[in-house]
């Protein structure tokens, strides 16, 4: 019974009111210290914010609701992970080639989740408004979740397959892992507004579905219950993150017209950088999944050309145009996967997973999916390399490729509209020449050369002799620079790298599962007893 | 699809990740270890941060504390995201039953006007203290070095938002969800002389850049004074001899504080034991912030406890000093 003067029944609060009461008034205008000394990072980028309270809280989750909701998801996820481990679920995947794709994932992607966690933490500290800070905190916590659940699920694979056991070490050192590493470090070392446009909008909102849908269906289709489980469990987090991405853009654009050109510049930049990062997925989808779900060009059509087209039509009312270099991505979509796989194959002694040439069946699939490009440009190359393998003189690159100063891919891409000419760009800065893979990357370099000259380009570093472990003597008679560079990168020569056929993974797989390590080639060893699939392959080959 | 495996032939190639084997030997790792050790990048950073161009993106030099191994700072609770969220969810379920009980019976609203005003004056403004702690904890999580310290700091950041919202609920239980108590408490926090010295120190922490100093000042010193003062001493005084409604709500804060103190203590003890320089540095910070915060708390404690105030302050300061000594510090 309420006391006198307090007898009205307590008001019932709906979710929105409850959230507002528990959140909005928490901050205050400081008076003992200057605001610009407390929040030191929000001014230097030139973004104008008049009213932080105009921020629409996209999540509207109080902390207790977050704990309960996420805690329930974790309980379910770890029940599956426990069962996966107890039942040796790692052997349920289609074949041992699928595991090579997981290697790219844990070595190249998991640390990005972690960097994202830290980046959002900086926003959680530096934004002056309560609403955006809470949104950033929750996303930061989510990203920590993603890193954690990926480690916990993939660790089971790491116990049985090579090349997954040194993921944090490799991430900082392996030459091609500087592609994802430099991408996220570029974002985190930017100002808070560029970071949130880069990650929440350009990456999460515009490009995440592209990564998520084909990757998750690929995992499901190839029997990888662990990845499917953490992936789908992360999806509801992603839905929140995408909402944040679109809210951020609208908030910035509505706060002041001066923000429009800045936001446009960041969209152009991060769309291109995100596209280059995700093209790694093109290779995984088209070449590494033993059972394929869709081709890269199809995914790009659905998830960028159609969905992205609608999004940018909607943003036109703010004066925002589609990303400047979108036409190049469309022109390249029939080529990137093939060009990348070729470069990895040629450099297979210097990568941390094992490589193979596509089978006849796979090439038939690519001819069908890429009628305008595959038979004309790439099939002849693979057939030539196959013949070389058969003749006992397999083709290998003995030198590492030239890297792009911005995206850090090898300069392997070709000119839009001329797939026989390599696309090479360069810029002068302070008397030095810097090389880029494309106009998109050159735009980025030319806008901020003082940032990109600091990029730690692994191939340059290797050739400068900066990538040897302590105690290595380059003047010793038996000094082998390539072997020493691999050791520095955390790649075990002869174990982690090279040809898939004959690798420890392929041999162990057949010994342990009695199934072929490559479903398209039949048994490599006589450990294979699964006559059904072997007979299947033999029949297909005969036919 | 079921798999036929020749079980006798299937032995893992390795029992844990290489970085864990180098620390703990070739044996199965715990989920805490897998999620924590060596996860943060340490080498070959690409760009100079625009917000701190003289240092790397992750850089051990953002504090004066030096550790031989930043992963020595482990969390005895062994929290990783999964067991952290499920633990907090369970604790929240328990406190929800209490909140529900208090709400249904109007236990706080039925207190006398004077008692209600005293709670609004002395407890509800602490939601802003918690929001300040959230900011400071986010600072540690953002700029700290090594996942061993930054991950629990992230969780602490979330905890402080949770505690700010828990205290806000106490206000709403008093004002019948009108929000008037929260508005009144905010005005007290920003304008009333009883609270200004504490707010002054909270704002001083916002401009303190050394993240380990922020950790020491907020999580060791400030919390060690605020939690027992408000949720034990002042709780007792406000309850007028143990009114269970407010005490049962404050108890949630105290239990959380006791759990968290295990982590704080482990971090401080390990860092101080790592070198004489660390010990001197941390001891100095404890001394400095103790000497700022104790007088800053005096007016509000005086207001509520009257002639008991000095005893209460002396007792929490003595407890802090004893704790610091136990952690290997010398004040
Ligand atoms: Fe994520
Ligand atoms: Fe590039």
């Amino acid at each position: 019974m309420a006391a006198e003067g307090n007898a009205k029944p307590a008001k019932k609060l709906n979710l929105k009111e409850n959230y507002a009461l528990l959140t909005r008034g928490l901050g205050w205008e400081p008076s003992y210290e200057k605001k610009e000394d407390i929040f030191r990072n929000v001014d230097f980028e030139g973004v104008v914010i008049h009213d932080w309270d105009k921020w629409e809280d996209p999540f509207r989750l109080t902390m207790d609701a977050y704990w309960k909701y996420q805690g329930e998801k974790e309980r379910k996820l770890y029940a599956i992970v426990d069962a996966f481990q107890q039942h040796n679920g790692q052997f349920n995947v289609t074949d041992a080639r699928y595991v090579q794709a997981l290697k790219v994932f844990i070595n190249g992607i998991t640390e990005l989740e972690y960097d994202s966690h830290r980046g959002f933490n900086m926003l959680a500290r530096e934004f002056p408004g309560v609403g955006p800070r809470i949104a950033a905190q929750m996303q930061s916590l989510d990203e920590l979740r993603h890193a954690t659940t990926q480690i916990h699920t993939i660790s089971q694979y790491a116990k049985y397959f090579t090349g997954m056991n040194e993921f944090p070490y490799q991430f900082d050192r392996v030459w091609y892992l500087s592609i994802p590493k430099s991408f996220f470090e570029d974002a985190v070392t930017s100002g808070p507004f560029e970071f949130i446009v880069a990650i929440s909008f350009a990456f999460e909102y515009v490009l995440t579905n592209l990564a998520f849908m084909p990757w998750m269906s690929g995992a499901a289709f190839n029997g990888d219950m662990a990845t499917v489980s953490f992936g789908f469990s992360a999806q509801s987090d992603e839905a929140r993150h995408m909402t944040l991405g679109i809210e951020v853009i609208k908030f910035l654009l509505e706060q002041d017209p001066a923000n429009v050109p800045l936001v446009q510049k960041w969209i152009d930049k991060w769309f291109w950088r995100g596209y280059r990062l995700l093209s790694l997925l093109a290779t995984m989808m088209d070449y590494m999944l033993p059972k394929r779900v869709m081709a890269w060009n199809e995914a790009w059509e659905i998830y960028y050309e159609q969905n992205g087209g609608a999004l940018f039509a909607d943003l036109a009312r703010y004066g925002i145009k589609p990303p400047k270099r979108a036409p190049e991505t469309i022109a390249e979509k029939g080529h990137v996967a093939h060009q990348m796989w070729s470069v990895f194959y040629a450099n297979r002694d210097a990568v941390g997973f094992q490589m193979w040439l596509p089978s006849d069946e796979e090439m038939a699939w690519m001819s069908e999916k890429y009628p305008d490009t595959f038979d004309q440009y790439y099939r002849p190359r693979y057939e030539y390399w196959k013949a070389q393998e058969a003749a006992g003189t397999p083709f290998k690159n003995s030198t590492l490729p030239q890297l792009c100063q911005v995206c850090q891919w090898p300069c392997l891409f070709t000119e839009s509209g001329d797939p026989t000419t390599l696309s090479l760009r360069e810029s002068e800065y302070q008397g030095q020449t810097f090389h880029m893979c494309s106009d998109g990357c050159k735009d980025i370099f030319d806008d901020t050369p003082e940032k990109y000259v600091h990029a730690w380009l692994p191939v340059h570093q290797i050739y400068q002799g900066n990538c040897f472990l302590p105690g290595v003597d380059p003047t010793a008679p038996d000094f082998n620079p390539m072997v020493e560079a691999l050791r520095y990168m955390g790649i075990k020569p002869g174990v982690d790298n090279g040809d898939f056929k004959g690798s420890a993974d392929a041999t162990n797989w057949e010994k342990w599962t009695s199934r072929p390590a490559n479903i398209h080639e039949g048994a490599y060893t006589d450990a294979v007893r699964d006559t059904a699939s072997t007979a299947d392959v033999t029949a297909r080959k005969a036919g | 699809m079921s798999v036929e495996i020749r079980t006798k032939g299937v032995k893992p190639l390795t029992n844990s990740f290489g970085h864990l084997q180098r620390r703990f030997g070739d044996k199965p790792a715990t989920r805490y270890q897998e999620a924590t050790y060596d996860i943060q990048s340490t080498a070959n950073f690409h760009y100079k941060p625009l917000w701190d161009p003289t240092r790397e993106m992750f850089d051990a030099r953002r504090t004066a504390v030096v550790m031989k191994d930043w992963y020595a700072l482990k969390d005895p609770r062994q929290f990783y995201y999964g067991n952290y969220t499920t633990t907090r969810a369970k604790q929240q379920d328990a406190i929800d039953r209490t909140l529900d009980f208090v709400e249904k019976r109007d236990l706080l609203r039925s207190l006398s006007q004077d008692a209600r005003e005293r709670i609004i004056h002395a407890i509800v403004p602490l939601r802003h203290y918690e929001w300040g702690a959230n900011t400071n904890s986010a600072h540690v999580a953002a700029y700290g070095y090594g996942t061993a310290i930054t991950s629990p700091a992230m969780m602490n950041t979330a905890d402080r938002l949770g505690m700010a919202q828990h205290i806000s609920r106490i206000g709403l239980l008093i004002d019948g969800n009108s929000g008037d108590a929260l508005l009144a408490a905010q005005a007290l926090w920003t304008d009333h002389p009883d609270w200004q010295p504490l707010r002054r120190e909270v704002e001083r922490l916002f401009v303190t850049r050394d993240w380990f100093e922020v950790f020491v000042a907020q999580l060791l010193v400030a919390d060690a004074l605020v939690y027992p003062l408000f949720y034990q001493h002042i709780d007792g005084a406000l309850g007028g001899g143990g009114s269970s409604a407010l005490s049962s709500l404050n108890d949630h804060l105290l239990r959380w504080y006791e759990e968290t103190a295990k982590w704080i203590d482990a971090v401080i003890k390990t860092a101080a034991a790592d070198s004489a320089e660390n010990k001197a540095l941390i001891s100095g910070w404890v001394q400095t912030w103790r000497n700022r915060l104790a007088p800053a708390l005096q007016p509000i404690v005086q207001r509520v406890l009257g002639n008991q105030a000095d005893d209460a302050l002396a007792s929490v300061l003595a407890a802090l000093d004893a704790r610091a000594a136990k952690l290997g510090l010398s004040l």
Side-chain angles (χ1 to χ4, degrees):
Chain A
M1 175 79 160
E4 193 190 338
N6 197 15
K8 269 195 306 184
K11 194 176 160 212
K12 281 269 168 272
L13 297 175
N14 65 33
L15 266 177
K16 196 176 168 183
E17 290 166 331
N18 185 53
Y19 177 80
L21 282 168
L22 293 179
T23 302
R24 270 305 167 93
L26 287 175
W28 67 92
E29 278 301 313
S31 61
Y32 296 104
E33 301 290 350
K34 288 208 271 320
K35 215 171 172 176
E36 60 268 30
D37 293 336
I38 297 175
F39 305 109
R40 298 185 310 171
N41 295 354
V42 282
D43 295 323
F44 71 81
E45 296 171 277
V47 166
V48 182
I49 303 296
H50 300 282
D51 184 359
W52 280 99
D53 285 341
K54 288 268 159 49
W55 177 282
E56 276 295 323
D57 297 308
F59 304 165
R60 291 204 191 107
L61 269 177
T62 50
M63 206 58 232
D64 56 313
Y66 179 95
W67 286 325
K68 289 182 188 176
Y69 186 60
Q70 298 296 99
E72 191 50 38
K73 279 160 56 179
E74 288 291 277
R75 260 194 290 275
K76 287 183 183 148
L77 174 61
Y78 279 89
I80 297 172
V81 174
D82 288 342
F84 178 83
Q85 293 177 348
Q86 276 156 25
H87 297 109
N88 280 315
Q90 71 277 9
F91 297 129
N92 275 336
V93 298
T94 309
D95 69 21
R97 287 179 306 162
Y98 173 81
V99 178
Q100 308 307 313
L102 280 182
K103 295 180 185 179
V104 178
F105 196 90
I106 187 146
N107 291 321
I109 306 300
T110 300
E111 290 286 339
L112 299 187
E113 305 278 10
Y114 182 79
D115 282 348
S116 181
H117 150 67
R118 294 291 293 270
F120 276 103
N121 243 331
M122 292 175 192
L123 269 47
R125 169 64 183 82
E126 302 297 347
F127 275 151
V130 172
R133 275 174 57 200
I134 290 178
Q137 285 172 21
M138 287 188 181
Q139 179 150 2
S140 176
L141 200 44
D142 289 341
E143 300 301 352
L144 184 58
R145 170 178 200 240
H146 299 170
T148 302
T149 53
Q150 287 167 21
I151 294 166
H152 285 159
T153 44
I154 298 181
S155 80
Q156 178 71 1
Y157 287 95
K159 289 175 189 148
Y160 292 89
F161 299 97
T162 62
M164 309 166 90
N165 213 32
E166 296 287 354
F167 70 92
Y169 182 90
Q170 285 200 3
F171 181 73
D172 280 348
R173 291 166 184 83
V174 169
W175 62 275
Y176 51 88
L177 295 180
S178 76
I179 299 163
K181 178 173 158 85
S182 68
F183 171 90
F184 237 100
E185 291 187 1
D186 192 353
V188 175
T189 55
S190 299
F193 291 107
E194 182 174 347
F195 176 88
I196 202 166
V197 169
I199 303 307
S200 295
F201 180 71
F203 200 63
E204 299 264 18
Y205 196 80
V206 182
L207 297 172
T208 281
N209 275 341
L210 182 87
F212 188 81
M213 300 313 292
W215 172 246
M216 282 307 127
S217 0
F221 212 46
N222 286 282
D224 180 5
M225 283 320 291
T227 299
V228 168
S229 304
F230 78 63
F232 279 107
S233 190
Q235 196 184 20
S236 61
D237 304 341
E238 290 305 327
R240 273 189 283 123
H241 302 170
M242 290 177 68
T243 315
L244 176 60
I246 194 72
E247 290 298 339
V248 163
I249 284 293
K250 289 182 176 163
F251 175 70
L252 292 178
L253 295 172
E254 282 166 9
Q255 279 290 306
D256 199 285
N259 297 340
V260 176
L262 274 175
V263 168
Q264 181 74 55
K265 183 174 94 173
W266 291 332
I267 289 176
D268 291 346
K269 170 180 171 179
W270 287 97
F271 169 80
W272 183 257
R273 237 166 151 349
Y275 161 72
R276 271 287 187 256
L277 173 64
L278 284 185
S279 358
L280 195 54
L281 202 73
T283 330
M284 298 199 332
M285 285 167 64
D286 288 352
Y287 285 84
M288 300 181 92
L289 296 181
K291 294 182 182 165
R292 292 166 298 273
V293 282
M294 62 165 59
W296 165 258
N297 57 347
E298 295 170 320
W300 192 249
E301 280 156 24
I302 297 171
Y303 296 108
Y304 179 69
E305 293 176 54
Q306 293 168 20
N307 296 358
L311 165 68
F312 284 102
D314 189 44
L315 290 175
R317 69 196 147 108
Y318 295 105
I320 289 294
K321 295 190 285 287
K324 183 178 172 194
R325 297 297 176 184
E328 281 88 334
T329 66
I330 295 164
E332 280 183 9
K333 71 186 172 192
H335 299 279
V336 276
H338 316 301
Q339 295 176 352
M340 287 177 179
W341 189 253
S342 301
V343 166
F344 279 131
Y345 173 78
N347 291 286
R348 62 195 176 283
D349 282 350
V351 301
F353 50 94
Q354 295 114 32
M355 308 286 300
W356 57 92
L357 288 170
S359 65
D360 295 343
E361 186 197 324
E362 286 164 316
M363 288 205 280
W365 180 82
M366 291 191 216
S367 300
E368 184 198 320
K369 293 294 181 184
Y370 294 101
D372 301 331
T373 57
F374 188 75
D375 284 347
Q376 196 178 347
Y377 301 106
Y378 305 104
R379 178 185 283 278
R381 184 186 293 177
Y382 290 133
E383 281 173 351
Y384 175 69
W385 283 345
K386 272 202 164 173
Q388 285 194 307
E389 279 193 5
T393 53
F395 172 74
K396 279 179 186 177
N397 248 5
S398 55
T399 54
L400 286 168
Q402 164 82 50
L403 303 184
C404 170
Q405 188 75 25
V406 174
C407 71
Q408 308 217 11
W409 273 101
C411 290
L412 58 86
F413 306 98
T414 52
E415 294 289 351
S416 297
D418 179 9
T420 56
T421 307
L422 272 183
S423 160
L424 298 169
R425 300 288 180 275
E426 53 182 57
S427 291
E428 297 286 321
Y429 181 70
Q430 293 187 336
Q432 272 190 298
T433 307
F434 295 90
H435 301 273
M436 272 71 69
C437 74
S438 56
D439 290 325
C441 284
K442 183 171 157 59
D443 288 348
I444 295 169
F445 181 89
D446 290 345
D447 184 70
T448 330
E450 66 279 11
K451 181 167 194 179
Y452 295 95
V453 294
H454 293 293
W456 192 88
L457 286 186
V459 172
H460 285 46
Q461 297 293 330
I462 290 168
Y463 285 129
Q464 284 168 24
N466 296 333
C467 297
F468 303 124
L469 292 172
V472 169
D473 176 12
T475 61
D478 58 345
F479 174 71
N480 179 336
M482 186 54 112
V483 167
E484 291 304 333
L486 288 177
R487 286 184 54 222
Y488 169 83
M489 291 187 263
I491 294 173
K492 291 183 205 73
V495 178
D496 294 341
N497 60 352
D499 292 306
F500 179 69
K501 186 174 180 176
S503 69
D505 280 357
T507 308
N508 285 336
W509 174 273
E510 297 198 341
K511 188 170 80 188
W512 288 336
T513 69
S514 308
R515 300 189 341 254
N518 177 340
I519 56 163
H520 294 122
E521 290 194 348
Y524 290 147
T525 67
D526 44 13
V528 173
R529 287 214 218 115
D530 185 339
T531 47
S533 60
T534 309
D536 198 29
V537 169
T538 316
R540 253 198 326 262
K541 275 191 172 163
Chain B
M1 173 177 53
S2 70
V3 185
E4 177 222 334
I5 298 167
R6 299 178 193 176
T7 38
K8 70 173 172 8
V10 182
K11 251 200 277 162
L13 304 176
T14 169
N15 285 306
S16 67
F17 291 113
H19 47 282
L20 299 178
Q21 286 186 33
R22 289 188 285 277
R23 290 178 176 280
F24 307 112
D26 185 11
K27 55 183 181 204
T30 65
R31 287 197 164 134
Y32 168 71
Q33 290 171 338
E34 284 190 336
T36 305
Y37 285 90
D38 302 299
I39 299 303
Q40 178 202 279
S41 277
T42 55
N44 302 334
F45 294 104
H46 288 277
Y47 315 107
K48 306 286 158 213
L50 298 182
W51 35 267
D52 190 4
T54 61
R55 299 192 186 99
E56 302 290 0
M57 186 173 101
F58 301 133
D59 197 319
R61 295 169 299 174
R62 289 199 178 92
T63 172
V65 168
V66 176
M67 291 292 295
K68 291 185 223 32
D69 172 15
W70 283 99
Y71 287 92
L73 302 180
K74 58 177 182 255
D75 176 4
R77 304 166 302 177
Q78 305 216 11
F79 274 157
Y80 57 92
Y81 183 92
N83 62 0
Y84 165 73
T85 44
T86 49
T87 300
R88 291 289 177 263
K90 223 182 291 161
Q91 290 162 339
Q92 191 65 42
D93 280 337
I95 191 65
D96 278 354
R97 285 191 287 277
T98 308
L99 285 161
D100 201 46
F101 182 85
V102 174
E103 180 165 37
K104 281 213 177 93
R105 284 166 179 72
D106 274 334
L107 291 181
L108 290 186
R109 293 176 82 216
S110 63
L111 294 173
S112 71
Q113 185 175 348
D114 179 54
R116 280 182 277 134
E117 275 173 8
R118 276 153 52 90
I119 298 172
I120 291 171
H121 192 93
I123 297 289
V124 187
L126 289 168
R127 65 197 292 260
H128 301 290
Y129 171 80
E130 291 298 327
W131 179 245
N134 170 284
T135 305
N136 294 326
S137 207
H139 187 82
V140 177
Y143 302 114
Y145 194 78
T147 308
I149 185 80
T150 58
S151 286
M154 167 84 260
M155 296 166 199
N156 191 265
T157 305
D159 285 349
R160 306 316 285 256
L161 176 60
M163 293 307 146
Q165 292 178 334
H166 177 69
I167 297 167
S168 305
R169 287 202 173 92
I170 296 177
L172 294 174
L173 285 171
I174 294 174
D175 69 20
N177 290 332
S178 70
D180 293 344
L182 306 184
L183 282 177
Q186 184 171 43
L188 290 162
W189 177 254
T190 53
D191 295 314
H192 196 284
D194 287 354
W195 285 101
Q196 296 322 294
L198 181 60
R199 180 164 73 87
R200 202 275 155 268
E201 296 311 322
V202 170
E203 290 186 16
R204 198 195 302 278
L205 264 171
F206 291 165
V207 297
T208 303
R209 290 291 142 188
D210 184 308
W211 63 267
F212 208 106
E213 180 178 0
V214 172
F215 179 93
V216 168
Q218 173 69 60
L219 297 175
L220 178 62
V221 183
D223 289 348
L225 302 180
V226 166
Y227 272 73
L229 268 178
F230 286 90
Y231 306 122
Q232 279 174 327
H233 293 273
I234 290 180
D235 172 89
L238 292 175
S243 147
S244 61
L246 180 65
S247 300
S248 60
L249 296 171
N250 284 343
D251 188 55
H252 179 64
L253 290 138
L254 273 182
R255 280 167 189 250
W256 170 82
Y257 168 71
E258 281 159 16
E259 177 222 271
T260 301
K262 290 184 192 137
W263 165 56
I264 312 295
D265 286 359
V267 170
I268 303 273
K269 193 172 178 180
T270 307
D274 209 55
S275 70
E277 290 80 6
N278 286 356
K279 178 182 163 171
L281 201 55
I282 297 169
S283 302
W285 286 330
V286 172
Q287 191 75 55
T288 302
W289 285 94
R290 177 195 187 282
N291 294 346
R292 284 174 183 155
L293 283 155
L297 285 159
Q298 171 72 29
I300 180 65
V301 176
Q302 184 72 41
R303 169 81 56 190
V304 191
L305 295 182
N307 59 9
Q308 312 273 301
D310 288 347
D311 284 353
L313 262 169
S315 100
V316 297
L317 283 169
L320 172 62
D321 294 346
R323 185 172 161 197
K326 229 178 89 193
L327 299 178
L329 305 177
S330 52
L331 300 191

